[in-house]
Amino acid sequence: MRCHIPAARRGLLLCLVPFLWTLALGSWGLSRQDSVWRDEAATWQVACRPAGEIWRMLGNVDAVHGLYYLLMHGLFEVFGASTTTLRLPSVLAVACASVCVAVIGRRLAGAWAGLGGALALGLLPAVQFYLQEGRPYALVAAGAGLSTLLLVSLLADRPGRRTWPRWAAYGAAVLVCALLNWLSLLVLPAHAVTLAWVRAGRGVWLRWTAYGGGAVAGALPLILFSRGQSDQVSWIPPLTWHMMIGPGIMLAVGALGAWADRPDRSRLSAAAVGLPLLAVPQLGLVGLSLVQPLFLDRYVLFSMVGLALLIGAALGAGVRACAPRFPSLSALLVPGVATVSVLALLPVELGKRAPASRVDDVLAVAGEVARLKRDGDGVLFVPAARRDTALVSPGAFSGLTDLALAATPVASATLKGEEVPPVLIREALLGQRRVLLVTDAAKVAKAPSAERDKVKTAVLRERFTAVEDRQLRGRRVTVYERRD
């Protein structure tokens, strides 16, 4: 990048521009029309609990997200519970990841490669989704970007410099990511491929093994404990060929970027860092999913840092190819591609910021409950997990009696509470004149599988008549009145 700006200031701008770019993308439509979907509702309702109650709940469910819940609890305590507090940490995390991409790209393939990759990260469709998500996956991406940046600095370092503080920071970054989502440990085999690619020395291998192994050891208790809660992921479908189309396309794009970088084994290149970071987590998750279905793109969202690096490398190669013959045009290549990409992806960008981009909206149906309810009405949830609507918007349910609830989620240290036996649900229903049923919209609803839910729907069908029915953003509330 030819410019009369001093080198230090150019470096600052290279970090600042991607950060502000990603922050702007993330802030655009952050509230998603004041909608919150079921995964974010879990974050919201848990983060609103006292820290001691969160810790107690983790012994029963969602231990894998414990650190994230405690972090969000602290933020809710300081800034209040809102969609902004819920999602802004993810926006800032991706913005920090883009800075890591910029610095790595500049170091390995030039300033334009760094800038191009950093701008590309926030535009990737998978990143667009989790950029505004109240879940930990964007934070893991930031941690993976930081650990990769630290590894690159260590591999490119001159002999004789003190390295243990950066190795310690590397191990800490990997450990924190693992405590947020232990599948992020797939970053370690990705980094191992990079070390093998550049033929790292024995001393580097020993330090990487020591600090990486320390991170694994630190996360091992969580891994072993959370395996006992594996029923939480039992809903994930088995791996199929059509699920491989998206990863296959990304790997093809990454391979083209690596080819454009013209890598060789005599130097540390963007391809040597980016291609393993993209491919190894994706392929590793495929391998794990052959043993137990786990294939969800969010679990390896951090691999998009590798894809962004490779896209940046391709853009940097394009700038270098244009520069000799079209020097003025070459300086516009990266900004031009970024602008065209924003326009081309506009339908995707608008779609990700709409409530319809998620399977449901717990806030919208809570508003319908508040409008339809009468004091003394009963309320039921099918399945019980749909109680999240009442947990996130308790005011909308004031005056209603939860007919099936035996112990609240806080009292039972669970996400959805504990319900009374089916026979007591039947008795409670038969004593009600009017009942509100909160469930999934017809398009996404599944037939009740739990015995309690079968009893709820059976009694409503046999002894009640539906007098009001509202379906909105993936949720449904139906008002039933008992037949005399």
Side-chain angles (χ1 to χ4, degrees):
M1 186 185 296
R2 294 184 178 180
C3 179
H4 296 295
I5 302 174
R9 191 168 297 178
R10 288 203 304 270
L12 179 61
L13 284 173
L14 186 66
C15 295
L16 189 60
V17 169
F19 185 88
L20 294 177
W21 165 273
T22 310
L23 187 62
L25 285 174
S27 300
W28 170 28
L30 185 63
S31 73
R32 292 202 305 271
Q33 300 176 34
D34 295 318
S35 64
V36 172
W37 80 293
R38 62 183 64 169
D39 280 16
E40 292 180 308
T43 299
W44 188 305
Q45 59 114 335
V46 173
C48 287
R49 301 182 189 187
E53 295 297 338
I54 295 175
W55 186 257
R56 194 164 70 93
M57 183 206 77
L58 298 177
N60 298 322
V61 66
D62 251 4
V64 70
H65 296 312
L67 178 61
Y68 178 70
Y69 286 148
L70 291 169
L71 169 65
M72 293 307 300
H73 167 75
L75 293 177
F76 273 28
E77 285 286 303
V78 175
F79 301 106
S82 68
T83 54
T84 299
T85 308
L86 181 69
R87 296 178 183 138
L88 193 57
S90 292
V91 176
L92 294 172
V94 177
C96 291
S98 73
V99 172
C100 293
V101 171
V103 176
I104 296 170
R106 180 190 185 193
R107 187 159 195 167
L108 300 181
W112 284 119
L115 181 62
L119 298 181
L121 180 64
L123 291 173
L124 296 173
V127 176
Q128 286 271 322
F129 190 96
Y130 295 105
L131 176 66
Q132 295 182 330
E133 185 83 351
R135 297 301 275 174
Y137 309 108
L139 278 67
V140 172
L146 176 59
S147 65
T148 303
L149 174 59
L150 289 165
L151 184 68
V152 167
S153 75
L154 289 160
L155 291 175
D157 209 0
R158 64 178 183 270
R161 287 193 64 186
R162 189 174 63 168
T163 60
W164 74 263
R166 278 174 292 158
W167 278 115
Y170 173 84
V174 173
L175 174 58
V176 170
C177 285
L179 295 178
L180 290 169
N181 175 17
W182 57 259
L183 283 170
S184 67
L185 289 172
L186 287 168
V187 77
L188 288 174
H191 289 168
V193 172
T194 296
L195 295 182
W197 187 319
V198 301
R199 298 173 180 169
R202 182 170 177 269
V204 172
W205 275 105
L206 288 174
R207 289 178 178 84
W208 174 82
T209 302
Y211 287 95
V216 173
L220 189 58
L222 173 64
I223 296 171
L224 296 176
F225 185 79
S226 64
R227 292 298 296 154
Q229 300 175 352
S230 59
D231 58 324
Q232 290 180 252
V233 293
S234 61
W235 61 271
I236 300 176
L239 189 66
T240 59
W241 285 109
H242 80 272
M243 295 167 68
M244 300 299 298
I245 295 174
I249 292 172
M250 289 188 293
L251 290 173
V253 172
L256 287 174
W259 174 81
D261 189 45
R262 296 293 193 275
D264 61 64
R265 298 190 66 177
S266 64
R267 67 181 179 91
L268 182 63
S269 63
V273 175
L275 192 57
L277 187 56
L278 169 64
V280 172
Q282 295 281 344
L283 297 177
L285 187 60
V286 169
L288 290 172
S289 297
L290 295 176
V291 179
Q292 176 182 341
L294 285 173
F295 197 83
L296 294 175
D297 62 347
R298 57 181 177 253
Y299 291 161
V300 289
L301 181 71
F302 63 90
S303 67
M304 295 300 98
V305 173
L307 180 58
L309 278 170
L310 295 168
I311 292 172
L315 291 172
V319 171
R320 291 192 297 273
C322 290
R325 298 181 64 181
F326 309 102
S328 299
L329 183 61
S330 67
L332 298 175
L333 180 63
V334 170
V337 169
T339 301
V340 170
S341 297
V342 170
L343 296 176
L345 291 171
L346 191 58
V348 174
E349 294 156 1
L350 292 173
K352 299 298 185 188
R353 288 160 175 80
S357 65
R358 272 68 174 174
V359 70
D360 59 7
D361 177 11
V362 304
L363 295 183
V365 75
E368 288 299 303
V369 169
R371 190 178 68 82
L372 295 170
K373 71 178 182 178
R374 298 176 187 169
D375 285 345
D377 286 351
V379 63
L380 291 173
F381 302 91
V382 175
R386 299 303 165 261
R387 190 171 280 109
D388 56 5
T389 299
L391 300 174
V392 172
S393 302
F397 289 79
S398 62
L400 298 178
T401 302
D402 192 331
L403 301 176
L405 189 64
T408 66
V410 173
S412 61
T414 62
L415 285 173
K416 58 186 179 183
E418 293 180 352
E419 296 193 336
V420 298
V423 64
L424 296 182
I425 294 176
R426 176 181 290 274
E427 290 178 7
L429 264 171
L430 294 177
Q432 283 292 135
R433 298 293 306 175
R434 201 166 180 271
V435 177
L436 276 69
L437 174 66
V438 178
T439 185
D440 293 319
K443 288 184 178 180
V444 296
K446 297 179 181 179
S449 57
E451 190 61 33
R452 291 179 175 87
D453 294 336
K454 291 178 181 178
V455 168
K456 295 172 191 175
T457 55
V459 175
L460 288 172
R461 184 174 58 251
E462 295 165 4
R463 306 297 294 271
F464 288 76
T465 299
V467 296
E468 292 263 13
D469 187 42
R470 297 286 184 270
Q471 298 189 53
L472 184 64
R473 297 179 181 175
R475 290 283 175 102
R476 182 179 191 175
V477 56
T478 307
V479 181
Y480 288 88
E481 291 184 355
R482 197 177 71 196
R483 295 193 291 269
D484 293 326

